[in-house]
Amino acid sequence: MIKTDILIIGAGPTGLFAVFEAGLLKLKCHILDALPQPGGQLSELYPKKPIYDIPGFPEVLAGDLVDGLMEQIKQFEPGFTLGERAETIDKQEDGTFIVTSNKGTKFHAPVIAIAGGLGSFEPRKPLIEDIEFYEDKGVKYFIKNPEKFRDKRVVIAGGGDSALDWSIFLANVASEVTLIHRRNEFRGALDSVEKVQELKSAGKIKLITPAEVIGINGAEHVESLDIEENGAHRKIECDYFIPLFGLTPKLGPIGDWGLEIEKNAIKVNNALDYQTNIPGIFAIGDVNTYPGKLKLILCGFHEATLMCQAAYGIINPGKKYVLKYTTVSGVDGFDGTRKEAPKAVVKAIV
């Protein structure tokens, strides 16, 4: 049984920042996430993409933002259980909660903060016979480590930003990149479309449009693909097939916890503290909904801050917390470290 003050379900940017705000209030956090590493969508889907609307950062790569958040919370020593999904929740007689993961790990906390982004993501898979057989045998729906494709023959299918961006990126990694789309037109950033055109002209990307992948061949690993191009069928050899047709968000087991759900999001009280219809359970970030909701990282940071203030009241009933600015109070970590502004020098002017 892992005991903590706040169990945070979701290790995305909102969940990570909640650790910092809780730490300022001397509250310990443990984070549970189904993904194998912290960062949520930022790490899983677009670690190399720049973000432009984080205060104080004119431009920051998604992966670098995650690294910064991890560094910021390090002194508060959060616990992490990664690669496990929150499965069930049981409210105890004293008002606390026990959450059990799909692997049987149990967590006990008086406050639950659901920061699961848009929920768990499932890739939109093309309707190709036996595609499940080739998953992890050459078929990939996510690109986590581009080096895996070093000097390999890669075929990407799709017509959006992800297909364009990864085709551009892998053009300098893979030995051969082929981009297949069922239309001649692409739905993506104009500069990305123009860059693909440049790489095609330079012979660094093969472009096949309009076309579709209709079959996969190989005994134990992807060896070639059957494609249909302008009504004709042909075969192209490759090592990896990466269909990038988007993701379908799902709340998963959290949707069965008795929370009030609206359009695949958890309704919260935004007038006060982002608490759900179950006292002691909060939802922050993209996973929640309320009038005027904006699914932005900086909004999640704000919600995490107010959630932690309310959590303090639940965990310390009757005890009032006096807000102090970190520029004045400094930051005391649970590991004994302290961050503070240099003290003013007292000296007379004569």
Side-chain angles (χ1 to χ4, degrees):
M1 183 81 72
I2 296 173
K3 294 187 177 183
T4 188
D5 293 323
I6 304 175
L7 175 65
I8 300 172
I9 299 173
T14 296
L16 294 177
F17 187 68
V19 174
F20 177 78
E21 288 297 321
L24 294 179
L25 302 171
K26 309 299 182 190
L27 301 177
K28 288 283 289 183
C29 293
H30 192 93
I31 296 182
L32 169 65
D33 198 294
L35 296 176
Q37 73 284 317
Q41 295 178 59
L42 274 65
S43 297
E44 187 75 2
L45 303 182
Y46 50 93
K48 299 297 182 182
K49 276 197 171 185
I51 304 173
Y52 300 102
D53 61 353
I54 302 299
F57 291 91
E59 177 181 338
V60 59
L61 292 179
D64 290 345
L65 177 59
V66 172
D67 291 343
L69 287 164
M70 290 293 289
E71 180 64 28
Q72 187 178 29
I73 66 176
K74 185 169 66 175
Q75 67 182 139
F76 293 125
E77 300 181 320
F80 284 91
T81 298
L82 302 174
E84 298 187 29
R85 182 183 65 243
E87 199 75 20
T88 62
I89 187 167
D90 297 295
K91 191 163 188 174
Q92 308 302 294
E93 289 185 5
D94 61 358
T96 62
F97 302 92
I98 291 180
V99 172
T100 305
S101 79
N102 63 316
K103 294 185 178 179
T105 309
K106 293 185 181 295
F107 309 86
H108 187 201
V111 171
I112 307 295
I114 302 172
L118 294 171
S120 59
F121 286 93
E122 295 184 5
R124 292 192 178 98
K125 302 179 182 181
L127 298 175
I128 300 174
E129 188 177 356
D130 295 330
I131 191 168
E132 286 81 8
F133 172 79
Y134 291 101
E135 290 172 0
D136 293 325
K137 298 176 184 176
V139 170
K140 300 288 183 182
Y141 301 109
F142 304 102
I143 298 176
K144 299 177 183 178
N145 178 16
E147 282 300 313
K148 187 179 185 71
F149 308 101
R150 174 71 62 183
D151 300 326
K152 302 295 184 181
R153 299 166 299 176
V154 177
V155 173
I156 295 175
D161 280 316
S162 292
L164 292 165
D165 291 348
W166 282 117
S167 295
I168 294 167
F169 189 91
L170 292 179
N172 293 315
V173 176
S175 62
E176 182 179 288
V177 174
T178 302
L179 176 59
I180 297 176
H181 184 37
R182 60 188 175 187
R183 299 186 183 91
N184 291 318
E185 300 80 20
F186 288 82
R187 290 177 177 267
L190 180 59
D191 60 339
S192 296
V193 176
E194 292 175 345
K195 183 65 175 176
V196 167
Q197 181 65 57
E198 291 176 15
L199 291 169
K200 178 198 171 192
S201 300
K204 299 205 72 175
I205 289 179
K206 294 180 179 180
L207 187 63
I208 305 176
T209 61
E212 279 189 89
V213 176
I214 58 173
I216 306 174
N217 309 297
E220 295 297 328
H221 195 277
V222 173
E223 296 175 5
S224 66
L225 302 175
D226 296 322
I227 67 169
E228 182 178 326
E229 181 183 7
N230 292 319
H233 291 192
R234 67 184 176 101
K235 191 185 300 286
I236 57 173
E237 295 183 347
C238 68
D239 302 302
Y240 287 96
F241 173 44
I242 310 172
L244 298 174
F245 298 136
L247 302 166
T248 302
K250 292 187 178 181
L251 275 178
I254 291 174
D256 301 322
W257 287 2
L259 301 166
E260 192 173 353
I261 307 294
E262 183 179 283
K263 295 181 179 178
N264 209 39
I266 302 170
K267 289 188 70 173
V268 295
N269 172 14
N270 69 306
L272 188 60
D273 53 17
Y274 305 98
Q275 200 158 188
T276 69
N277 59 305
I278 300 178
I281 300 181
F282 299 78
I284 53 176
D286 287 357
V287 77
N288 74 17
T289 186
Y290 52 82
K293 169 69 178 181
L294 293 176
K295 293 183 183 294
L296 298 172
I297 293 173
L298 73 164
C299 294
F301 290 165
H302 163 78
E303 294 165 11
T305 304
L306 296 189
M307 178 278 294
C308 288
Q309 295 287 325
Y312 181 88
I314 293 172
I315 296 167
N316 301 288
K319 189 175 180 181
K320 184 174 177 59
Y321 174 76
V322 179
L323 177 67
K324 294 179 182 178
Y325 301 114
T326 55
T327 49
V328 176
S329 64
V331 178
D332 291 306
F334 299 154
D335 58 358
T337 60
R338 176 170 174 77
K339 297 177 181 177
E340 62 180 334
K343 296 188 181 299
V345 176
V346 179
K347 187 175 181 180
I349 299 176
V350 295

